[in-house]
Amino acid sequence: MAVISAISSGATAPPDFTLLSTWESWAQGEFATTPDEYIAECYNDFGGPLNDATAIAGWGVTDATNHPTIRAAAGQGHGGVEDAGFVLTNAARPLYISQAYVVVEGIQVQTTGTNDVPFEVPSAGANSVFDSLILKTPGTESNSYGIDNGADGSIVRNCLIISAARGVDASNNSGTYENCTVIGLGGATTFGFINTGNATLTNVTIIGFL
């Protein structure tokens, strides 16, 4: 059964995929000749979670119109409940966004490792939008974060971030965080939110951290 359904007006008969990483490879190749918004719609009716590691990188120039989008298909999202919709998981780093203007919405991303980050965005992920995500890590090491985001102009909104160590590493970026909840699991003894730049926080609740 297909897990990822590809959508693009630029591609002819987009195929379905069983791995998000395979979709990324295909969509990147298509984008090189036919720039468009390439969408991965994620389904949860296969008995998941999906164990995969995906890097969004190397797409050339992306912008607000032509870019990759990863989203839950209609009726396949979590609806604000942990483990209730499409879940991307991996022992290391399930999702790495090193591309500008990427949109990720409505899915859960988690790592099962004790020393890793489920969702990492270096500076190359500038101006990306991350909406309605559940991000989880059981990691207890000092470099384990629910999200590691170093991208200027990024928007993180309506997200639930759960970590046994550190919540959000916003590095020195000027991203925007709106309507998010950051929860430290039992034993979380470090920072809930780290930023040495000019991040803007609106209605962000941080609980369970020292």
Side-chain angles (χ1 to χ4, degrees), residues 7-10 31 34-39 59 61-69 71 99-103 126-129:
I7 300 174
S8 171
S9 59
F31 187 89
T34 312
D36 192 17
E37 181 183 13
Y38 285 81
I39 302 170
W59 285 56
V61 178
T62 47
D63 56 34
T65 301
N66 302 312
H67 60 262
T69 292
R71 70 189 186 199
Q99 189 70 49
Y101 293 97
V102 176
V103 175
N127 302 309
S128 291
V129 177

Side-chain angles (χ1 to χ4, degrees), residues 77-97:
H78 52 70
V81 179
E82 290 179 57
D83 306 320
F86 174 83
V87 178
L88 179 66
T89 187
N90 196 262
R93 181 184 58 196
L95 198 53
Y96 179 73
I97 308 295

Side-chain angles (χ1 to χ4, degrees), residues 1 13 73 86 100 119 125 129 133 146 155 173 188 193 205 208:
M1 179 178 292
F86 174 83
F119 199 89
V129 177
L133 305 178
I155 298 174
N173 79 73
F193 195 103
T205 301

Side-chain angles (χ1 to χ4, degrees), residues 159-179:
C159 292
L160 173 60
I161 301 166
I162 304 169
S163 174
R166 299 188 176 193
V168 178
D169 181 3
S171 301
N172 59 350
N173 79 73
S174 59
T176 298
Y177 297 79
E178 303 170 345
N179 305 320

